[in-house]
Coordinates of all heavy atoms in Angstrom, one line a residue:
M1 N 0.9 -1.2 0.0 CA 0.0 0.0 0.0 C 0.9 1.2 0.0 O 2.0 1.3 0.6 CB -0.9 0.0 1.2 CG -1.9 1.1 1.2 SD -3.3 0.6 2.3 CE -4.5 1.8 1.7
G2 N 0.4 2.3 -0.6 CA 1.2 3.5 -0.8 C 0.5 4.7 0.0 O -0.3 4.5 0.9
V3 N 1.0 5.8 -0.5 CA 0.4 7.0 0.1 C -0.3 7.8 -1.1 O 0.2 7.7 -2.3 CB 1.4 8.0 0.7 CG1 2.1 7.3 1.9 CG2 2.6 8.4 -0.3
I4 N -1.3 8.5 -0.8 CA -2.1 9.3 -1.8 C -1.8 10.8 -1.5 O -2.0 11.2 -0.3 CB -3.6 8.9 -1.8 CG1 -3.8 7.5 -2.2 CG2 -4.3 9.9 -2.7 CD1 -5.2 7.0 -2.3
V5 N -1.2 11.4 -2.5 CA -1.0 12.9 -2.3 C -1.7 13.6 -3.4 O -2.1 13.1 -4.4 CB 0.6 13.1 -2.3 CG1 1.2 12.4 -1.2 CG2 1.1 12.7 -3.7
L6 N -1.9 14.9 -3.1 CA -2.3 15.8 -4.1 C -1.2 16.6 -4.7 O -0.4 17.2 -3.9 CB -3.3 16.9 -3.6 CG -4.7 16.3 -3.2 CD1 -5.6 17.4 -2.6 CD2 -5.4 15.8 -4.5
I7 N -1.0 16.6 -6.0 CA 0.1 17.4 -6.7 C -0.6 18.4 -7.6 O -1.3 17.9 -8.6 CB 1.0 16.6 -7.4 CG1 1.7 15.5 -6.5 CG2 2.1 17.4 -8.1 CD1 2.6 14.4 -7.2
N8 N -0.6 19.6 -7.2 CA -1.3 20.7 -7.9 C -2.8 20.3 -8.2 O -3.3 20.4 -9.3 CB -0.6 20.9 -9.4 CG 0.7 21.6 -9.2 OD1 1.1 22.0 -8.1 ND2 1.5 21.8 -10.3
N9 N -3.3 19.9 -7.1 CA -4.8 19.5 -7.0 C -5.2 18.2 -7.7 O -6.4 18.0 -7.9 CB -5.7 20.7 -7.4 CG -5.6 21.8 -6.4 OD1 -5.5 21.6 -5.2 ND2 -5.4 23.1 -6.9
A10 N -4.2 17.4 -8.2 CA -4.6 16.2 -8.8 C -4.1 15.1 -7.9 O -3.0 15.2 -7.3 CB -3.9 16.1 -10.2
S11 N -4.9 14.0 -7.8 CA -4.5 12.9 -6.8 C -3.5 11.9 -7.5 O -3.7 11.5 -8.6 CB -5.8 12.2 -6.5 OG -5.5 11.2 -5.5
F12 N -2.5 11.6 -6.7 CA -1.5 10.5 -7.2 C -1.2 9.6 -6.0 O -1.2 9.9 -4.9 CB -0.2 11.2 -7.5 CG -0.2 12.0 -8.8 CD1 -0.6 13.4 -8.7 CD2 0.2 11.6 -10.0 CE1 -0.7 14.2 -9.8 CE2 0.1 12.3 -11.1 CZ -0.3 13.7 -11.1
Q13 N -1.1 8.3 -6.4 CA -0.7 7.3 -5.5 C 0.8 7.0 -5.7 O 1.2 6.8 -6.8 CB -1.5 6.0 -5.6 CG -1.1 5.0 -4.6 CD -2.0 3.8 -4.4 OE1 -3.1 3.8 -5.0 NE2 -1.6 2.9 -3.6
L14 N 1.6 7.1 -4.6 CA 3.0 6.9 -4.6 C 3.3 5.8 -3.6 O 2.5 5.5 -2.8 CB 3.7 8.2 -4.2 CG 3.6 9.4 -5.0 CD1 4.3 10.6 -4.4 CD2 4.0 9.2 -6.5
P15 N 4.4 5.1 -3.8 CA 4.8 4.0 -2.9 C 5.0 4.5 -1.5 O 5.4 5.6 -1.3 CB 6.1 3.4 -3.5 CG 6.4 4.1 -4.7 CD 5.4 5.3 -4.8
Q16 N 4.7 3.6 -0.5 CA 5.0 3.9 0.9 C 6.5 4.3 1.0 O 7.3 3.7 0.4 CB 4.8 2.7 1.7 CG 4.8 2.9 3.2 CD 3.6 3.8 3.7 OE1 2.4 3.7 3.1 NE2 3.8 4.7 4.6
G17 N 6.8 5.4 1.7 CA 8.2 5.8 1.9 C 8.6 6.8 0.8 O 9.8 7.1 0.7
A18 N 7.7 7.1 -0.1 CA 8.1 8.1 -1.2 C 8.6 9.4 -0.7 O 8.1 9.9 0.4 CB 6.9 8.3 -2.2
S19 N 9.5 9.9 -1.4 CA 10.0 11.3 -1.1 C 9.4 12.3 -2.0 O 8.8 12.1 -3.0 CB 11.6 11.3 -1.2 OG 11.9 11.3 -2.6
L20 N 9.7 13.6 -1.6 CA 9.3 14.7 -2.4 C 9.9 14.6 -3.8 O 9.2 15.0 -4.8 CB 9.6 16.0 -1.7 CG 9.1 17.3 -2.5 CD1 7.7 17.3 -2.8 CD2 9.5 18.5 -1.6
A21 N 11.1 14.2 -3.9 CA 11.8 14.0 -5.2 C 11.0 13.0 -6.1 O 10.9 13.2 -7.3 CB 13.2 13.5 -5.0
D22 N 10.5 12.0 -5.4 CA 9.7 10.9 -6.2 C 8.4 11.6 -6.8 O 8.0 11.4 -7.9 CB 9.2 9.8 -5.3 CG 10.4 9.0 -4.8 OD1 11.4 8.7 -5.6 OD2 10.4 8.6 -3.6
A23 N 7.8 12.5 -6.0 CA 6.6 13.2 -6.5 C 6.9 14.1 -7.6 O 6.2 14.2 -8.6 CB 5.9 14.1 -5.3
V24 N 8.0 14.9 -7.5 CA 8.5 15.8 -8.6 C 8.7 15.0 -9.9 O 8.3 15.3 -11.0 CB 9.7 16.6 -8.2 CG1 10.2 17.3 -9.4 CG2 9.3 17.6 -7.1
R25 N 9.4 13.8 -9.7 CA 9.6 12.9 -10.9 C 8.3 12.4 -11.5 O 8.2 12.2 -12.7 CB 10.5 11.8 -10.5 CG 12.0 12.2 -10.4 CD 12.9 11.1 -10.3 NE 12.8 10.3 -9.0 CZ 13.5 10.6 -7.9 NH1 14.4 11.7 -7.9 NH2 13.4 10.0 -6.8
T26 N 7.4 12.1 -10.7 CA 6.1 11.5 -11.2 C 5.4 12.5 -12.1 O 4.8 12.1 -13.1 CB 5.1 11.3 -9.9 OG1 5.8 10.3 -9.1 CG2 3.8 10.9 -10.4
V27 N 5.5 13.8 -11.9 CA 4.8 14.7 -12.8 C 5.8 15.3 -13.8 O 5.4 16.2 -14.6 CB 4.1 15.9 -12.0 CG1 2.9 15.3 -11.2 CG2 5.1 16.7 -11.1
Q28 N 7.0 14.8 -13.8 CA 8.1 15.2 -14.8 C 8.1 16.7 -14.9 O 8.2 17.3 -15.9 CB 7.7 14.6 -16.2 CG 7.7 13.1 -16.1 CD 7.3 12.6 -17.5 OE1 6.8 13.2 -18.4 NE2 7.4 11.2 -17.6
A29 N 8.3 17.3 -13.7 CA 8.4 18.8 -13.6 C 9.7 19.2 -14.1 O 10.8 18.7 -13.8 CB 8.3 19.3 -12.2
A30 N 9.7 20.2 -15.0 CA 10.9 20.7 -15.7 C 11.3 22.1 -15.0 O 10.4 22.9 -14.8 CB 10.7 20.9 -17.1
P31 N 12.5 22.2 -14.6 CA 13.0 23.5 -14.0 C 12.8 24.7 -14.9 O 12.8 24.5 -16.1 CB 14.4 23.2 -13.7 CG 14.6 21.8 -13.8 CD 13.6 21.3 -14.7
P32 N 12.6 25.8 -14.4 CA 12.7 26.2 -13.0 C 11.3 26.0 -12.3 O 10.3 26.2 -13.0 CB 13.1 27.7 -13.0 CG 12.5 28.2 -14.3 CD 12.6 27.0 -15.2
F33 N 11.3 25.7 -11.0 CA 10.1 25.6 -10.3 C 10.4 25.6 -8.8 O 11.6 25.4 -8.4 CB 9.3 24.3 -10.6 CG 10.0 23.1 -10.4 CD1 10.1 22.5 -9.1 CD2 10.7 22.4 -11.4 CE1 10.8 21.3 -8.9 CE2 11.3 21.3 -11.3 CZ 11.4 20.7 -10.0
A34 N 9.4 25.9 -8.0 CA 9.6 25.9 -6.5 C 8.5 24.9 -6.0 O 7.5 24.7 -6.7 CB 9.3 27.3 -5.9
V35 N 8.7 24.3 -4.9 CA 7.8 23.3 -4.4 C 7.4 23.6 -2.9 O 8.3 24.0 -2.1 CB 8.4 21.9 -4.5 CG1 7.5 20.9 -3.9 CG2 8.8 21.5 -5.9
A36 N 6.1 23.5 -2.6 CA 5.6 23.6 -1.3 C 4.9 22.4 -0.9 O 4.2 21.8 -1.7 CB 4.7 24.8 -1.1
V37 N 5.0 21.9 0.3 CA 4.3 20.8 0.9 C 3.5 21.3 2.0 O 4.0 21.9 3.0 CB 5.3 19.6 1.3 CG1 4.4 18.5 1.9 CG2 6.1 19.1 0.2
N38 N 2.2 21.2 1.9 CA 1.3 21.7 2.9 C 1.6 23.2 3.3 O 1.7 23.6 4.4 CB 1.4 20.8 4.1 CG 1.0 19.4 3.9 OD1 0.2 19.1 3.1 ND2 1.7 18.5 4.6
L39 N 1.7 23.9 2.1 CA 2.0 25.4 2.1 C 3.3 25.8 2.7 O 3.5 26.9 2.9 CB 0.9 26.1 2.9 CG -0.6 25.9 2.3 CD1 -1.6 26.6 3.2 CD2 -0.6 26.4 0.9
Q40 N 4.2 24.9 2.9 CA 5.6 25.2 3.4 C 6.6 24.9 2.3 O 6.7 23.8 1.8 CB 6.0 24.3 4.6 CG 7.3 24.6 5.1 CD 7.6 23.7 6.3 OE1 6.8 23.2 7.1 NE2 8.9 23.7 6.7
F41 N 7.3 26.0 1.8 CA 8.3 25.8 0.8 C 9.4 24.9 1.3 O 9.9 25.0 2.4 CB 8.8 27.2 0.3 CG 7.9 27.8 -0.6 CD1 7.0 28.8 -0.2 CD2 7.8 27.5 -2.0 CE1 6.1 29.3 -1.0 CE2 7.0 28.1 -2.8 CZ 6.1 29.0 -2.3
I42 N 9.9 24.1 0.4 CA 11.0 23.1 0.7 C 12.1 23.4 -0.3 O 11.9 23.4 -1.6 CB 10.5 21.6 0.4 CG1 9.2 21.4 1.2 CG2 11.6 20.7 0.8 CD1 9.4 21.4 2.7
P43 N 13.3 23.7 0.2 CA 14.4 23.9 -0.8 C 14.8 22.6 -1.5 O 14.6 21.5 -0.9 CB 15.6 24.3 0.2 CG 15.2 23.9 1.6 CD 13.7 23.8 1.6
N44 N 15.2 22.8 -2.8 CA 15.5 21.6 -3.6 C 16.5 20.7 -3.0 O 16.5 19.5 -3.3 CB 15.7 21.9 -5.1 CG 17.0 22.8 -5.2 OD1 17.7 23.1 -4.2 ND2 17.3 23.2 -6.4
S45 N 17.4 21.2 -2.2 CA 18.4 20.3 -1.5 C 17.8 19.3 -0.5 O 18.4 18.3 -0.1 CB 19.4 21.2 -0.7 OG 18.8 21.9 0.3
L46 N 16.5 19.5 -0.2 CA 15.8 18.5 0.7 C 14.7 17.7 0.1 O 14.0 17.0 0.8 CB 15.2 19.4 1.9 CG 16.1 20.2 2.8 CD1 15.3 21.0 3.9 CD2 17.1 19.3 3.4
Y47 N 14.6 17.8 -1.2 CA 13.6 16.9 -1.9 C 13.7 15.5 -1.6 O 12.8 14.8 -1.3 CB 13.6 17.2 -3.4 CG 13.1 18.6 -3.9 CD1 12.7 19.5 -3.0 CD2 13.1 18.8 -5.2 CE1 12.2 20.7 -3.5 CE2 12.7 20.0 -5.7 CZ 12.3 21.0 -4.9 OH 11.8 22.2 -5.3
E48 N 15.0 14.9 -1.7 CA 15.2 13.5 -1.4 C 15.0 13.2 0.0 O 14.5 12.0 0.3 CB 16.6 13.2 -1.8 CG 16.9 13.1 -3.3 CD 16.3 12.0 -4.1 OE1 15.8 11.0 -3.4 OE2 16.2 12.1 -5.3
K49 N 15.2 14.0 1.0 CA 15.0 13.7 2.4 C 13.7 14.0 2.9 O 13.4 13.7 4.1 CB 16.1 14.6 3.2 CG 17.5 14.3 2.8 CD 18.5 15.3 3.5 CE 19.9 15.0 3.1 NZ 20.8 15.9 3.7
T50 N 12.8 14.6 2.1 CA 11.5 15.0 2.7 C 10.5 13.8 2.3 O 10.1 13.6 1.2 CB 11.0 16.3 2.0 OG1 11.9 17.3 2.2 CG2 9.6 16.7 2.4
A51 N 10.1 13.1 3.4 CA 9.2 12.0 3.3 C 7.8 12.5 3.2 O 7.4 13.5 3.8 CB 9.4 11.0 4.4
L52 N 7.0 11.9 2.3 CA 5.6 12.3 2.1 C 4.7 11.4 3.0 O 5.0 10.2 3.2 CB 5.2 12.1 0.7 CG 6.0 13.1 -0.3 CD1 5.6 12.8 -1.7 CD2 5.8 14.5 0.1
Q53 N 3.6 12.0 3.4 CA 2.7 11.3 4.2 C 1.3 11.3 3.5 O 1.1 12.2 2.6 CB 2.4 12.1 5.5 CG 3.7 12.3 6.4 CD 4.3 11.0 6.8 OE1 3.6 10.1 7.3 NE2 5.6 10.9 6.7
D54 N 0.5 10.4 3.8 CA -0.8 10.3 3.1 C -1.6 11.6 3.3 O -1.6 12.2 4.3 CB -1.6 9.2 3.8 CG -2.7 8.6 2.9 OD1 -2.4 8.5 1.7 OD2 -3.8 8.2 3.4
R55 N -2.1 12.1 2.2 CA -2.9 13.3 2.1 C -2.1 14.6 2.1 O -2.6 15.7 2.3 CB -4.0 13.3 3.1 CG -4.9 12.2 3.0 CD -6.2 12.3 4.0 NE -7.0 11.2 3.9 CZ -8.2 11.3 3.3 NH1 -8.7 12.4 2.8 NH2 -9.0 10.3 3.3
D56 N -0.8 14.5 1.9 CA 0.0 15.7 1.8 C -0.4 16.5 0.5 O -0.8 15.8 -0.5 CB 1.6 15.4 1.6 CG 2.2 15.3 3.0 OD1 1.6 15.6 4.1 OD2 3.3 14.7 3.0
S57 N -0.4 17.7 0.6 CA -0.7 18.6 -0.6 C 0.5 19.2 -1.1 O 1.3 20.0 -0.4 CB -1.7 19.6 -0.1 OG -2.0 20.5 -1.3
I58 N 0.9 19.0 -2.3 CA 2.1 19.4 -3.0 C 1.8 20.4 -4.0 O 0.9 20.1 -4.9 CB 2.9 18.2 -3.5 CG1 3.3 17.3 -2.4 CG2 4.2 18.7 -4.2 CD1 3.7 15.9 -2.9
E59 N 2.4 21.6 -4.0 CA 2.2 22.5 -5.1 C 3.6 22.8 -5.8 O 4.6 23.0 -5.1 CB 1.8 23.9 -4.6 CG 0.4 23.9 -3.9 CD -0.7 23.6 -4.9 OE1 -0.6 24.1 -6.1 OE2 -1.7 23.0 -4.5
I60 N 3.6 22.5 -7.1 CA 4.8 22.8 -7.9 C 4.5 24.1 -8.6 O 3.6 24.1 -9.5 CB 5.1 21.6 -8.8 CG1 5.4 20.4 -8.0 CG2 6.3 22.0 -9.7 CD1 5.5 19.1 -8.8
I61 N 5.3 25.1 -8.4 CA 5.0 26.4 -8.8 C 6.1 26.9 -9.8 O 7.2 26.8 -9.5 CB 4.9 27.4 -7.6 CG1 3.8 26.9 -6.7 CG2 4.6 28.9 -8.1 CD1 4.1 27.3 -5.3
R62 N 5.7 27.3 -11.0 CA 6.6 27.8 -11.9 C 6.6 29.3 -12.0 O 5.5 29.9 -11.8 CB 6.2 27.3 -13.4 CG 6.2 25.8 -13.4 CD 5.8 25.3 -14.8 NE 5.3 23.9 -14.8 CZ 5.8 22.8 -14.3 NH1 6.9 22.8 -13.7 NH2 5.2 21.6 -14.4
P63 N 7.8 29.9 -12.2 CA 7.8 31.4 -12.2 C 7.0 31.9 -13.4 O 6.9 31.3 -14.4 CB 9.3 31.7 -12.3 CG 9.9 30.5 -12.9 CD 9.0 29.3 -12.5
V64 N 6.4 33.1 -13.1 CA 5.7 33.8 -14.2 C 6.6 35.0 -14.7 O 7.2 35.7 -13.9 CB 4.4 34.4 -13.6 CG1 3.6 35.2 -14.7 CG2 3.5 33.3 -13.1
T65 N 6.8 35.0 -16.0 CA 7.6 36.0 -16.6 C 6.7 36.9 -17.5 O 5.6 36.6 -17.7 CB 8.8 35.4 -17.5 OG1 8.1 34.7 -18.5 CG2 9.6 34.5 -16.7
G66 N 7.3 38.1 -17.8 CA 6.5 39.0 -18.5 C 6.4 40.4 -17.9 O 7.1 40.7 -16.8
G67 N 5.8 41.3 -18.5 CA 5.8 42.6 -17.9 C 4.6 43.4 -18.0 O 3.5 43.4 -18.0

């Protein structure tokens, strides 16, 4: 059994013990982007170390350019 998380409001099932890096790879996010878990920004140096819990909400945010 795994964990179910929301990534940008879409539900995904990941394996038990999945990290934030696994979630980012699941949606094939291309840099640049920032990531927040449960509204808390996580530096990319901690993606591998950040364990996900059932029902975590992950937002992958891309910068907006223009003027």
Side-chain angles (χ1 to χ4, degrees):
M1 184 157 199
V3 295
I4 296 180
V5 297
L6 287 177
I7 303 174
N8 292 354
N9 293 318
S11 182
F12 290 86
Q13 183 166 352
L14 300 174
Q16 190 69 34
S19 70
L20 181 55
D22 295 320
V24 170
R25 284 190 289 272
T26 296
V27 296
Q28 301 176 348
F33 58 83
V35 178
V37 177
N38 302 324
L39 302 177
Q40 180 178 343
F41 280 97
I42 308 293
N44 60 1
S45 61
L46 296 179
Y47 290 0
E48 289 288 346
K49 297 176 183 175
T50 302
L52 296 175
Q53 305 298 316
D54 205 35
R55 299 183 182 257
D56 275 348
S57 178
I58 301 162
E59 294 294 327
I60 299 175
I61 303 151
R62 300 179 203 306
V64 176
T65 59

